């Protein structure tokens, strides 16, 4: 576990190299009309209740809001790390002319998604059990809500290779320390930090917590922001336009950032 002074030195070096963080609160988002979709589609259909379900609704609404500008009739959208479909099902309901694929490595959670799809009557969702890296079909938009560790990077990489839009809200950033992918992701970061230093930054990115006013959260949030900035910079280096937001409301989750990228015209 790195000390804060070690991590702060890394952040200072990034800023001295002209790498600056800008992760504003998302502009006010248009809510999903949950009452207008089958009950199995919302988080309560995924067996969440109370505040937990409300927080998942906010997370989903933030991603749906970002998708509104990019989904076209016939778009193929992949929910990477979909689990039981808490994001993929509402997206399918909100964009009925799209086709949504549920991708997850855990067969048990995909079975729950299958039941929810059957009970909801949604016709535009397909199941694709397996790893992110195993997706071979064509798609235009890749999304991920709390896809752990390097799962986000695997999914983003696939999007970049396919020229697809990505919309990701990453979590469990510290897990990337175990990844065989190269980090930092961007050349800009790699000119400043080596892999060991980046792993320390990734580990500190998981310090975010529910008390948003705490010093611990502030430190973690800054580190999380830089890791997500590195992901967007890697996309910009291959010709993408990107954006980086904090979910609205910010207490939707401690892992409350969204990165978006689309190929420049
Ligand atoms: C924290 S859950 C999030 C589930 C859902 N997106 C949500 O927000 O409710 C992360 C999911 O990603 C899946 N996952 C992680 N890495 C993956 C990978 N490389 N390929 C496929 N699924 C993966 C896990 O099995 C898990 O179900």
């Amino acid at each position: 576990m790195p000390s804060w002074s070690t991590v702060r030195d890394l952040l200072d070096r990034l800023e001295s190299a002209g790498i600056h963080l800008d992760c504003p609160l998302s502009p006010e988002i248009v809510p999903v009309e949950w009452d207008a979709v089958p009950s199995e589609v919302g988080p309560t259909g995924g067996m969440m209740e109370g505040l937990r379900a409300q927080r998942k609704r906010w997370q989903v609404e933030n991603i749906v809001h970002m998708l509104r500008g990019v989904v076209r009739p016939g778009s193929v959208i992949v929910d990477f790390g979909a689990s039981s479909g808490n994001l993929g099902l509402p997206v399918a309901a909100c964009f009925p002319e799209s086709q949504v694929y549920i991708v997850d490595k855990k067969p048990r959670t995909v079975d729950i998604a299958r039941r929810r799809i059957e009970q909801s009557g949604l016709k535009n969702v397909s199941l694709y059990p397996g790893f992110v890296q195993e997706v071979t079909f064509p798609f235009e938009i890749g999304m991920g809500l709390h896809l752990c560790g390097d799962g986000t990077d695997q999914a983003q990489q696939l999007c970049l290779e396919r020229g697809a839009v990505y919309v990701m809200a990453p979590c469990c950033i510290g897990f990337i320390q175990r990844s065989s992918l190269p980090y930092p992701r961007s050349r800009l970061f790699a000119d400043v930090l080596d892999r060991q230093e980046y792993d320390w930054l990734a580990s500190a990115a998981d310090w975010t917590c529910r008390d948003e006013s705490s010093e611990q959260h502030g430190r973690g949030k800054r580190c999380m922001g830089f890791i997500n900035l590195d992901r967007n910079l890697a996309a910009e280096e291959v010709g993408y336009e990107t954006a980086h937001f904090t979910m609205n409301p910010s207490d939707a989750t401690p892992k409350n950032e969204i990165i978006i990228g689309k190929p420049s015209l």
Side-chain angles (χ1 to χ4, degrees):
M1 175 77 77
S3 69
W4 172 239
S5 71
T6 301
V7 174
R8 197 183 43 211
D9 286 349
L10 303 179
L11 298 176
D12 287 348
R13 272 168 48 202
L14 288 166
E15 289 185 334
S16 300
I19 301 173
H20 296 291
L21 192 55
D22 184 24
C23 182
L25 197 65
S26 273
E28 190 146 342
I29 57 162
V30 179
V32 168
E33 288 185 43
W34 295 103
D35 291 342
V37 299
S39 59
E40 296 80 7
V41 167
T44 48
M47 291 172 286
M48 287 187 185
E49 298 295 341
L51 186 54
R52 198 163 159 244
Q54 181 54 53
R55 288 196 176 114
K56 188 56 74 178
R57 279 187 211 101
W58 284 330
Q59 296 162 28
V60 168
E61 287 177 342
N62 273 269
I63 303 247
V64 168
H65 188 75
M66 300 301 164
L67 290 175
R68 287 200 178 98
V70 289
V71 176
R72 306 276 172 265
S75 289
V76 176
I77 306 172
V78 186
D79 184 5
F80 291 106
S83 188
S84 65
N86 282 328
L87 174 63
L89 270 57
V91 165
C94 290
F95 303 101
E97 293 180 32
S98 68
Q99 181 64 35
V100 176
Y101 282 86
I102 297 282
V103 174
D104 202 287
K105 65 182 180 182
K106 285 193 198 146
R108 193 179 55 81
T109 63
V110 177
D111 283 344
I112 301 172
R114 179 177 294 110
R115 176 186 54 74
R116 292 174 73 183
I117 294 164
E118 285 166 4
Q119 291 178 353
S120 67
L122 286 173
K123 299 291 179 223
N124 60 333
V125 194
S126 306
L127 300 172
Y128 199 85
F131 283 83
V132 168
Q133 306 87 301
E134 292 167 351
V135 168
T136 51
F137 55 84
F139 65 93
E140 284 85 39
I141 300 167
M143 57 184 188
L145 177 54
H146 292 171
L147 176 53
C148 327
D150 76 347
T152 288
D153 298 296
Q154 302 275 8
Q156 186 206 23
Q157 183 61 37
L158 205 54
C159 292
L160 301 184
E161 287 166 11
R162 306 289 185 83
V165 172
Y166 65 84
V167 183
M168 308 268 165
C171 83
C172 303
I173 292 172
F175 285 178
I176 65 179
Q177 294 172 88
R178 307 179 198 153
S179 174
S180 56
L181 286 177
Y183 292 94
R185 305 298 293 156
S186 71
R187 286 194 298 277
L188 268 177
F189 266 59
D191 284 345
V192 181
L193 301 183
D194 64 23
R195 174 68 193 251
Q196 173 65 82
E197 292 167 330
Y198 194 85
D199 283 350
W200 287 332
L201 192 61
S203 158
D206 284 340
W207 292 349
T208 55
C209 63
R210 292 236 175 269
D211 181 0
E212 288 188 84
S213 62
S214 66
E215 194 171 62
Q216 178 194 323
H217 178 82
R219 291 171 175 175
K221 170 90 174 134
R222 209 166 145 219
C223 296
M224 178 168 71
F226 272 97
I227 297 284
N228 287 329
L229 171 61
D230 175 48
R231 290 165 158 153
N232 268 352
L233 289 173
E236 289 178 18
E237 288 170 0
V238 294
Y240 270 57
E241 293 168 12
T242 71
H244 185 179
F245 291 106
T246 296
M247 289 181 190
N248 189 349
S250 59
D251 61 353
T253 162
K255 315 297 174 210
N256 62 7
E257 296 192 0
I258 301 188
I259 52 172
I260 306 121
K262 57 182 175 181
S264 303
L265 293 176

